[in-house]
């Protein structure tokens, strides 16, 4: 750094490092602008949310709850967070909402902290069957030192084996029965599981990270009215807000509310990223207006996309259940543990289609699975409907079945995508300004 004409000018070496970040950010934006974002856990934020996330709030602190802060300067943020709690209670139709969590994983860590003690028993879906890493010993469950047992799995129905799960719960009497997956094609028959859990004094915790927007939009299942006591989730998957989490409960018990709030702060968060919380509040307001149609359109598109892929000759899972009732579609591309999913994901990326490889039932190796997990929530957000789902399926076929050169397909993908640059289901629908910086 040197001082030139009274102002500090940065060294060229430092500046060139920052420029690497600017260029890579712009390049990543272009990849998604010209391509098809189909990772089931991702989404894009509305122009208004994007403005809030880039605001001065990103540098501020507000520990505590509205009206009970450890810092000065929080009056305006109190207005924002109070409104957000009210909106979250209304959008998720629940008496308790904490909107501070910085991610779905943080919501899970906090919920487990509030609900259990080290050494307690917990039941959950295994990661091999689609459970999330935070449901496993390697993640939040291990962090709380819980004693994990996993439900038997019904491969045909792609859901827990309900009789087996209920027997396990009655036999083990776990402190927490955790429900929900990362691979989440169909609603879980929750009532039977919740009845068994409540019979033995367990708490039912539903992880709705992936399907939260579908739940709030009335297009999936309604866990908090089907027996779940607690619902956690991410604010940035099918719920189309900025990255963050929610912690919700159907209980009217104020002692539990206090425990849940304390588990977030001071339990697992100090600063809780005020710009993202404010962005969540705007996303909640937008969801009140547009959420129901967005959720219904996502599920309609996913079903149509699955059928279109099957018509192209792909092996789409859960055919007997009409493939999917969520935003996700699962495809098999080769033998178990063959790595065919990884190869397919790589070829698709060369054609401008961004997906992720995924383990399917039978796979044992996370880095060489046989499948892909695909999500249509981002394509729906930019206005694609069932006709476009057929076109997208034909791009998959050109790359993976007909063996066309992915770079040729990439040009057609970019031309197709150029017609879908406006963010929908939000206030001030407009082209995203943040793409190339
Ligand atoms: C079921 C489930 N729970 C929790 C999470 C974690 O969410 P986040 O990435 O917001 O921490 C995920 C992530 O995909 C998930 O699939």
């Amino acid at each position: 750094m040197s001082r030139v004409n009274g102002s500090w000018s940065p060294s060229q070496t430092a500046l060139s490092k920052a420029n690497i970040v600017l260029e890579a950010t712009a390049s990543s934006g272009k990849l998604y602008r010209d391509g098809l974002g189909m990772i089931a856990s991702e989404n894009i934020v509305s122009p208004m949310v994007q403005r809030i996330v880039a605001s001065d709030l990103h540098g501020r602190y507000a520990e505590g709850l509205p009206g009970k802060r450890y810092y000065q300067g929080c009056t305006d943020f109190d207005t924002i967070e109070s409104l957000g709690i009210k909106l979250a209670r209304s959008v998720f139709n629940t008496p308790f909402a904490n909107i501070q969590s910085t991610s779905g994983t943080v919501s899970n860590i906090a919920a487990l902290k509030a609900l259990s003690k080290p050494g307690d028993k917990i039941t959950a879906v295994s990661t091999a069957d689609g459970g999330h890493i935070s449901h496993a010993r390697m993640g939040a469950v291990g962090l709380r030192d819980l004693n994990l047992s996993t439900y038997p799995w019904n491969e045909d129905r792609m859901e827990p084996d309900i009789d087996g799960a209920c027997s396990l719960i009655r036999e083990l009497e776990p402190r927490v029965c955790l429900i929900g997956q990362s691979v989440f094609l169909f609603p879980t028959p929750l009532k039977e599981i919740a009845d068994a859990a409540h019979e033995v004094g367990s708490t039912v915790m539903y992880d709705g990270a992936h399907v939260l927007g579908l739940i709030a939009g009335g297009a999936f299942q309604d866990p908090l009215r089907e027996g779940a006591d607690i619902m956690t989730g991410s604010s940035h998957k099918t719920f189309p807000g900025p990255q963050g989490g929610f912690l919700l409960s159907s209980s009217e018990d104020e002692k539990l509310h206090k425990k849940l709030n304390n588990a977030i702060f001071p339990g697992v968060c100090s600063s809780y990223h005020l710009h993202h919380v404010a962005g969540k509040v705007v996303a909640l307001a937008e969801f009140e207006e547009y959420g129901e149609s967005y959720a219904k359109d996502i599920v309609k598109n996913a079903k149509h996309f699955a059928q279109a892929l099957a018509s192209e000759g792909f092996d789409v899972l859960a055919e007997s259940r009409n493939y999917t009732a969520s935003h996700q579609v699962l495809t098999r591309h080769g033998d178990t543990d063959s790595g065919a999913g990884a190869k397919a994901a790589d070829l698709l990326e060369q054609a401008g289609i961004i997906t992720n490889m995924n383990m399917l039932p039978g796979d044992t190796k996370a880095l060489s699975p046989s499948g892909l997990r695909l999500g249509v929530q981002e394509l729906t957000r930019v206005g694609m409907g069932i006709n476009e789902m057929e076109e997208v399926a034909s791009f998959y076929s050109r790359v993976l079945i007909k063996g066309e050169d992915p770079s040729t397909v990439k040009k057609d993908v970019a031309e197709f995508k150029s017609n879908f640059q406006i963010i929908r289901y939000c206030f001030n629908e407009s082209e995203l300004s943040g793409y190339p910086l």
Side-chain angles (χ1 to χ4, degrees):
M1 187 169 65
S2 59
R3 202 168 172 110
V4 180
N5 295 334
S7 60
W8 292 106
S9 64
S11 77
Q12 287 311 302
T13 327
L15 192 58
S16 70
K17 287 176 191 156
N19 279 334
I20 291 171
V21 179
L22 286 181
E23 277 162 27
T25 306
S27 170
S28 173
K30 184 168 159 42
L31 176 73
Y32 282 87
R33 185 193 58 194
D34 295 347
L36 304 176
M38 299 193 69
I39 291 179
S41 56
E42 295 186 349
N43 213 322
I44 37 183
V45 292
S46 73
M48 203 184 275
V49 170
Q50 198 170 73
R51 255 176 48 210
I52 299 278
V53 167
S55 73
D56 175 76
L57 282 173
H58 86 276
R60 305 297 158 201
Y61 263 74
E63 291 178 339
L65 286 166
K68 286 190 212 150
R69 300 296 190 188
Y70 293 79
Y71 296 107
Q72 296 308 117
C74 294
T75 311
D76 295 313
F77 190 70
D78 280 358
T79 306
I80 296 169
E81 191 175 345
S82 302
L83 173 64
I85 293 169
K86 211 166 131 198
L87 278 172
R89 284 188 194 144
S90 146
V91 164
F92 297 109
N93 188 13
T94 183
F96 172 82
N98 181 302
I99 63 168
Q100 298 178 346
S101 162
T102 51
S103 76
T105 299
V106 168
S107 302
N108 285 346
I109 295 170
L112 294 178
K113 182 174 178 353
L115 300 176
S116 63
K117 293 195 177 53
D120 279 349
K121 292 179 209 157
I122 186 168
T123 51
V125 174
S126 82
T127 50
D129 292 325
H132 187 245
I133 42 176
S134 60
H135 308 178
R137 286 285 308 175
M138 65 182 131
V141 161
L143 199 65
R144 193 62 176 149
D145 200 15
L146 299 176
N147 189 351
L148 172 70
S149 301
T150 55
Y151 306 118
W153 187 251
N154 183 328
E155 254 180 57
D156 293 333
R157 294 188 58 77
M158 290 298 283
E159 66 185 21
D161 174 290
I162 298 307
D163 290 343
C166 292
S167 307
L168 186 75
I169 290 166
R170 288 196 173 95
E171 181 196 323
L172 293 180
E173 303 188 359
R175 186 69 209 88
V176 179
C177 297
L178 179 48
I179 298 293
Q181 304 99 245
S182 301
V183 175
F184 214 160
L185 295 176
F186 302 104
T188 305
L190 205 50
K191 193 176 172 317
E192 293 89 326
I193 291 182
D195 284 348
H198 291 149
E199 214 178 280
V200 296
S202 307
T203 302
V204 179
M205 171 176 158
Y206 183 101
D207 182 343
H210 264 268
V211 286
L212 206 63
L214 307 182
I215 288 169
F220 195 61
Q221 68 182 132
D222 193 1
L224 293 172
R225 265 142 297 280
E226 291 166 24
D229 305 294
I230 305 285
M231 182 159 76
T232 58
S234 307
S235 51
H236 50 267
K237 296 181 166 114
T238 55
F239 185 86
Q243 294 234 352
F246 288 108
L247 179 53
L248 308 158
S249 174
S250 57
S251 169
E252 299 280 355
D253 178 0
E254 288 187 3
K255 272 199 201 140
L256 177 65
H257 299 176
K258 200 166 171 206
K259 253 185 163 176
L260 294 168
N261 280 330
N262 285 343
I264 294 278
F265 173 82
V268 295
C269 290
S270 169
S271 167
Y272 51 89
H273 308 180
L274 308 197
H275 54 322
H276 281 213
V277 172
K280 262 185 244 181
V281 180
V282 170
L284 282 162
E286 292 182 326
F287 201 91
E288 271 205 327
E289 191 77 13
Y290 307 102
E292 205 177 306
S293 46
Y294 180 48
K296 293 209 165 83
D297 290 348
I298 291 172
V299 175
K300 187 160 89 181
N301 277 346
K303 284 180 189 293
H304 211 85
F305 180 54
Q307 281 156 7
L309 284 176
S311 305
E312 293 282 355
F314 284 99
D315 181 357
V316 186
L317 266 70
E319 184 184 359
S320 66
R321 296 191 75 183
N322 201 11
Y323 308 113
T324 184
S326 73
H327 59 307
Q328 295 184 3
V329 174
L330 282 186
T331 48
R332 187 187 301 281
H333 296 270
D335 292 338
T336 298
D337 283 336
S338 62
K343 267 192 215 131
D346 187 36
L347 282 169
L348 288 169
E349 181 169 1
Q350 291 174 42
I353 303 172
I354 315 300
T355 64
N356 66 274
M357 60 180 171
N358 217 93
M359 283 169 73
L360 300 181
D363 280 329
T364 57
K365 297 182 186 145
L367 288 173
S368 54
S370 59
L372 292 179
R373 183 191 64 174
L374 310 165
V376 300
Q377 67 292 338
E378 185 166 333
L379 301 188
T380 307
R381 193 98 204 268
V382 291
M384 292 192 196
I386 53 175
N387 293 336
E388 285 74 35
M389 292 301 109
E390 286 172 25
E391 282 213 51
V392 173
S394 79
F395 290 132
Y396 275 69
S397 169
R398 285 172 60 188
V399 178
L400 297 176
I401 292 181
K402 296 181 181 125
E404 235 182 274
D405 182 348
S407 60
T408 312
V409 181
K410 187 174 187 175
K411 290 189 191 113
D412 294 343
V413 165
E415 198 187 322
F416 167 73
K417 182 68 188 301
S418 68
N419 298 312
F420 297 94
Q421 295 295 323
I422 309 285
I423 305 256
R424 312 280 178 190
Y425 309 96
C426 58
F427 306 138
N428 304 335
E429 282 187 355
S430 58
E431 199 156 328
L432 256 197
S433 56
Y435 274 147
L437 292 168

